């Protein structure tokens, strides 16, 4: 049967490094791309007898993540040892949480703008919230680099606080998975919890995929794709894997639960090992760490919960009159939100106009010049000054765009002074006044219609005056002048 007739079920385990200065169970500095093995001590090297000491900040950040995602936190949580052998973890167990993790339940809202661009027109479950099973806190292992005949191990990463965010098998497609990862990233960044940069390995995910024929069938055999580190690769891998599983079932094969990997270069999945069952890890409570009671942490963290992107978006629509689209663009990036919010503080114009300007002019120029918003030469304060010049009738919208571009190249200049230098002065009101009279005289039929109630035609007459002034007049002043004379 065709692939599209199969029911696809996906569950995700996302490992995300928490932004902390020090490691989870020792005082070593967390780092990225430093000289290998320079941030280590007996604890994170796993030397016998070294004891763990909790990083409370990491615990707080995990509870905060849970609050952002509507999870609950049990009154007592426990640390467990997950036993297995691997060279990147010489003490032979990872400290993690099994039965009593820091967060339970909750969900991740999928934002429309986080679906792949080509899939945004056909979102199957708009407004979906992907159900979470849990978030637990654990330690990262060392980083292995495999060479032809040897493996290098860097313990700088060992012991970095790592949250594991586990979904229920609640995702239906590669596109939803993509949107899930982007939305989760956006929320964790907005909460200041993690930079969640997949390129830097700060966020990695394991993807569990199964297919079945009918809704009434039990979930199909699960294949796990390990350690994916790019959202677009995850999307490609799922498409490939789903097709492969469907084809196998079509030809009567029995799938075996196993761990596979995605080969980006070949564009295919490959089998690594059949899955060891969870009890092989022989979890047991870590005797070096006492259970912790969470009440005090919860009280401490509660006031830190920030307004989430979708909450901000709703507020911008309600209070500032932004369209849903504009609000979602503005809230799609923390830097952009902060730019917008700073601009509206000093702009004497509507939030809607500020949003329009940022989306239509600023983002365009940033894109064209490949500059990030936080590096924008035109600061929010300067943009507000430009918008105020428009509002005061000193420059027209078109002139403001030129002014904006000029300011981009000379950001230290004062917008008002620069406008003057560019010859953008409030046009001679007497001259404009006579142009308005000329246009009124030349269009008696339009004037009659306007006076009969069709005020939309004011735009037409404004256009005529603008043309006659060779674009120099300020359209707002022209319209006001026309209204004063005609209505
Ligand atoms: Zn250490
Ligand atoms: Mn884990």
């Amino acid at each position: 049967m065709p692939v599209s007739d199969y029911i696809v079920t996906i569950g995700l385990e996302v490992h995300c490094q928490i932004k902390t200065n020090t490691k989870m169970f020792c005082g070593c500095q967390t780092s990225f791309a430093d000289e290998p093995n320079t941030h280590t001590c007996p604890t994170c090297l796993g030397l016998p007898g070294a004891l763990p000491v909790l990083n409370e900040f990491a615990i707080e950040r995990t509870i905060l993540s849970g609050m952002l995602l509507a999870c609950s936190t049990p009154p007592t949580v426990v640390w467990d040892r997950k036993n297995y052998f691997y060279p990147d973890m010489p003490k032979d167990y990872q400290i993690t949480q099994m039965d009593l993790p820091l967060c339970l339940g909750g969900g991740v809202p999928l934002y429309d703008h986080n679906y792949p661009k080509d899939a945004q027109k056909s979102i199957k479950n708009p407004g979906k919230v992907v159900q979470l099973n849990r978030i637990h806190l654990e330690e990262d292992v060392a980083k292995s680099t495999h060479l032809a005949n040897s493996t290098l191990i860097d313990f700088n990463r060992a012991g970095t606080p790592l949250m594991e965010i586990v979904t229920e098998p609640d995702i239906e497609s590669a596109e939803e998975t993509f949107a899930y990862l982007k939305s989760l990233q956006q929320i964790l960044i907005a909460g200041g919890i993690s930079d969640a940069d997949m390129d830097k390995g700060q966020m990695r995910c394991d993807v569990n995929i199964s297919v079945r024929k009918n809704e009434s069938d039990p979930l199909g055999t699960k294949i796990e794709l390990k350690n994916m580190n790019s959202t677009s690769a995850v999307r490609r891998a799922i498409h490939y894997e789903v097709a492969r599983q469907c084809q196998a079932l079509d030809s009567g094969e029995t799938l075996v639960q196993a761990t596979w990997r995605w080969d980006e270069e070949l564009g295919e999945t490959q089998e690594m090992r059949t899955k060891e069952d969870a009890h092989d890890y022989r979890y047991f409570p870590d005797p070096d760490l006492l259970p912790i009671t969470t009440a005090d942490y919860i009280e401490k963290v509660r006031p830190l919960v920030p307004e989430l992107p979708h909450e901000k978006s709703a507020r911008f629509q309600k209070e500032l009159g932004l369209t849903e689209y504009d609000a979602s663009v503005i809230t799609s990036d923390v830097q952009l939100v902060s730019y917008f919010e700073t601009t509206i503080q000093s702009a004497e114009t509507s939030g809607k106009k500020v949003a329009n300007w940022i989306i239509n002019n600023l983002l365009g120029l940033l894109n064209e010049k490949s500059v990030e918003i936080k590096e924008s030469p035109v600061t929010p304060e300067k943009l507000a000054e430009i918008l105020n010049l428009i509002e005061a009738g000193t420059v027209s919208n078109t002139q403001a765009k030129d002014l904006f571009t000029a300011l981009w190249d000379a950001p230290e200049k004062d917008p008002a002074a620069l406008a003057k230098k560019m010859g953008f002065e409030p046009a001679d009101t007497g001259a404009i006044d006579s142009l308005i009279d000329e246009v009124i005289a030349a269009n008696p039929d339009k004037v009659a219609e306007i006076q009969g109630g069709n005020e939309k035609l004011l735009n037409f007459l404004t256009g005529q005056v603008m043309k006659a002034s060779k674009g120099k007049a300020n359209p707002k002043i022209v319209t006001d002048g026309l209204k004063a004379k005609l209505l």
Side-chain angles (χ1 to χ4, degrees), residues 190-258:
I193 288 153
S194 173
D195 291 331
D197 186 337
M198 290 186 104
D199 289 337
K200 291 186 178 167
Q202 292 166 339
M203 191 163 138
R204 326 189 273 275
C205 75
D206 303 336
V207 186
N208 291 289
I209 310 167
S210 68
V211 300
R212 60 193 157 132
K213 290 186 174 164
N214 307 299
E215 203 70 61
S216 55
D217 297 344
L219 288 180
T221 303
K222 183 168 83 175
I223 301 292
E224 180 178 27
L225 299 179
K226 272 276 179 211
N227 255 323
M228 305 287 303
N229 52 16
S230 119
T231 43
S232 54
V234 166
R235 186 185 181 198
R236 284 192 290 278
I238 293 174
H239 278 293
Y240 181 90
E241 183 60 21
V242 165
R244 184 191 72 82
Q245 290 182 23
C246 295
Q247 212 168 32
L249 293 181
D250 281 343
S251 58
E253 243 178 84
T254 313
L255 292 166
V256 183
Q257 185 174 332

Side-chain angles (χ1 to χ4, degrees), residues 457-474:
L457 275 177
L458 277 171
N459 291 336
F460 172 78
L461 293 191
T462 303
Q464 296 300 303
V465 178
M466 292 302 293
K467 215 176 185 180
S469 78
K470 302 199 168 57
K472 288 218 169 93
N474 180 303

Side-chain angles (χ1 to χ4, degrees), residues 22-75:
T22 56
K23 295 185 182 181
M24 189 61 229
F25 299 112
C26 64
C28 292
Q29 192 194 318
T30 50
S31 67
F32 176 77
D34 281 353
E35 183 72 14
N37 298 309
T38 51
H39 303 291
T40 61
C41 72
T43 298
C44 57
L45 286 171
L47 301 187
L51 290 172
V53 177
L54 286 175
N55 179 340
E56 292 197 292
F57 185 71
I59 295 172
E60 290 165 18
R61 297 276 109 175
T62 305
I63 293 178
L64 177 60
S65 308
M67 286 185 185
L68 296 181
L69 301 171
C71 308
S72 61
T73 290

